[in-house]
Amino acid sequence: EKIGNVLTVLKDWTYVMDKDLAAPTIYRKWRDYFDDYTFDDEIEIYKAASGPGLNILEYLMREVPNSHWFDDMSTSSVENRDDIILTALDDTIDWLENFYDSSDPTTWRWGDIHTVYYGHLTGLEALSVGPFEWSGSGYCITPSGVSIRSGVGRARGGASERLIVDFSNLNNTISVIPLGQRGHSNSKHYSDQVENLFLLGKYHVQYFTNTPTNFPTSSIESRIYFTAGGA
C-alpha cells in the first residue's frame, strides 16, 4: 500500500521540481539511494576516490539491467537493476516517513527539504539572507543543487542574473538578480529582489538609456548633483 501511494504521486508528476510538490522529494531521495546502492560497494572494496556519474547510472539503468554494478557484492545472491530499484524505493519511503513524520507521501514537500541560502562573504548570519524554500535542482533550468542525505539542504549556487533582452527596443528588456541592488545591509534594497522578484519568477524593467528624460521619474528615489566648483 505504501509503495502504491508513492507511485501514484510519481505517476501524476510532470517532472517539474516544484517546491510545493512531493514527487520531486521522492524522486531525489530515491535517486540518491539508487546511486549509492549501485556503486558504493565497489567504491569501498576497490578504495576508489569516487564513483561513476549519474550519466553512467542512467545508461546502465536503461541499457544494461543485469550489469555487475547492480550486484551487491556484500551478499551471496546476485542482484540486478530491478532489485536495487525496489530496495532503494523501500528505503526512500522509510527515510521520508521518518523525516516528515508522516506516512502520507503528498505531505513530503520539496520546499521543506530543498532551500536556497545566500551566505555573506564574511560568513556572518546577520549579513546573510535565507534560507528560503526553493524549486529546482542541480540538473534543471533553475540550478540549485543540494545534498539532502542528512536532511534539509541549502543551495548556495545558481543563476547570478536572469536577463531577457528585446533587441528591437532595449528599454523593453527585463532582468532580475538574487538579493538586491545595494550592498548596505540596512538598505531596503539589500535583498528586495530575491524576495519580491527572483524567488517568484518575476522581473523588473532593465533600462538602456543615458538620457535622464527617458528614465521614469516614478522610479527615481534620490538624486546626486554635481555642480561647478564643487559647491
Side-chain angles (χ1 to χ4, degrees), residues 7 21 42 58 66 69 78 114 154 172 194 199 221 230:
L7 292 179
L21 300 180
E42 285 87 359
E58 181 179 7
N66 294 314
W69 288 101
V78 178
H114 178 264
R154 288 183 173 185
N172 283 334
V194 68
L199 295 177
E221 295 182 359

Side-chain angles (χ1 to χ4, degrees), residues 175-223:
S175 71
V176 67
I177 60 173
L179 295 182
Q181 189 65 26
R182 297 198 67 192
H184 297 287
S185 59
N186 62 346
S187 168
K188 68 178 181 179
H189 298 300
Y190 183 67
S191 62
D192 58 343
Q193 289 197 53
V194 68
E195 296 180 69
N196 299 321
L197 298 173
F198 192 84
L199 295 177
L200 301 177
K202 297 181 179 180
Y203 297 80
H204 61 76
V205 175
Q206 175 70 57
Y207 291 100
F208 287 82
T209 179
N210 59 0
T211 306
T213 56
N214 291 340
F215 195 85
T217 57
S218 61
S219 297
I220 298 176
E221 295 182 359
S222 62
R223 300 172 186 262

